[in-house]
Amino acid sequence: MSATIKAYYNDDDILMNAVKKIRSEKYHIEEVYTPFPVHGLDKAMGLKDTRLAITAFMYGCLGLTVAVVMMNFIMIQDWPQDIGGKPSFSYLENMPAFVPIMFELTVFFAAHLMVITFYLRSRMWPFKEAENPDVRTTDDSFVIELHGTDDNEALTNLLLDTGATEVHVPKK
């Protein structure tokens, strides 16, 4: 397996141009670490769009279904009650009173399951060690990680030409 090469940058605009140049030279960027979100970096790296919005919709539908089934069972079938003179013969007659509950459970399920999905998808388990390659990336530095090639010298020269302040190539 090839070694991981790290290129350090001190400006987000230089970083964006470097990512575009590195990708145009057909090198694969493994990861980019930044101290703040950089707009457009995901597109420049060629990352696919996230499908988390689809899961949020599905989780909301699940919450709505749970709310409808729960209210129908509790308020109509299991323990019908005459509250404020409202009839308890069918769910549809009572549905306007249940709208706030349906909304709240839809939001509850979508929000909580999305947080769990995000953590699982990001592999952020409880008590997991941070994967930060350099503490400076939480302050003022940007790091691009690439896998080394047969010609690490050409890759190093390319990284320096793109504006890297430092390039770390592990010794063999």
Side-chain angles (χ1 to χ4, degrees):
M1 182 161 166
S2 59
T4 302
I5 296 174
K6 295 179 182 126
Y8 292 78
Y9 296 86
N10 58 9
D11 185 65
D12 57 332
D13 292 328
I14 296 172
L15 173 81
M16 282 295 289
N17 292 330
V19 167
K20 291 173 185 173
K21 177 74 172 165
I22 292 166
R23 293 224 343 125
S24 71
E25 296 290 329
K26 306 292 186 223
Y27 289 105
H28 174 70
I29 297 174
E30 190 64 32
E31 188 65 73
V32 177
Y33 296 91
T34 64
F36 54 83
V38 178
H39 180 71
L41 184 60
D42 54 341
K43 300 285 188 228
M45 288 178 62
L47 300 177
K48 295 181 203 171
D49 287 335
T50 180
R51 294 184 303 250
L52 286 176
I54 297 168
T55 59
F57 177 75
M58 292 188 318
Y59 294 151
C61 290
L62 176 66
L64 180 63
T65 303
V66 168
V68 168
V69 170
M70 178 186 74
M71 289 181 299
N72 185 51
F73 177 74
I74 293 171
M75 297 299 290
I76 306 301
Q77 295 174 1
D78 185 46
W79 196 280
Q81 299 176 33
D82 185 4
I83 300 174
K86 291 183 173 65
S88 59
F89 302 123
S90 74
Y91 179 80
L92 290 176
E93 291 174 331
N94 288 303
M95 194 168 69
F98 296 151
V99 168
I101 299 166
M102 295 184 322
F103 172 76
E104 290 297 330
L105 279 179
T106 300
V107 172
F108 180 85
F109 271 66
H112 286 80
L113 292 174
M114 279 302 298
V115 169
I116 293 168
T117 301
F118 174 75
Y119 282 136
L120 291 176
R121 183 70 182 100
S122 300
R123 295 183 175 94
M124 293 171 52
W125 322 115
F127 311 110
K128 181 182 181 199
E129 293 288 326
E131 295 179 5
N132 193 359
D134 193 323
V135 71
R136 293 178 289 177
T137 61
T138 62
D139 186 24
D140 63 352
S141 288
F142 303 84
V143 176
I144 297 177
E145 280 188 352
L146 302 107
H147 284 305
T149 61
D150 295 333
D151 190 10
N152 283 342
E153 188 173 332
L155 179 57
T156 302
N157 290 335
L158 172 68
L159 294 171
L160 290 172
D161 288 343
T162 61
T165 58
E166 300 175 40
V167 176
H168 291 279
V169 181
K171 305 282 188 225
K172 290 185 180 181

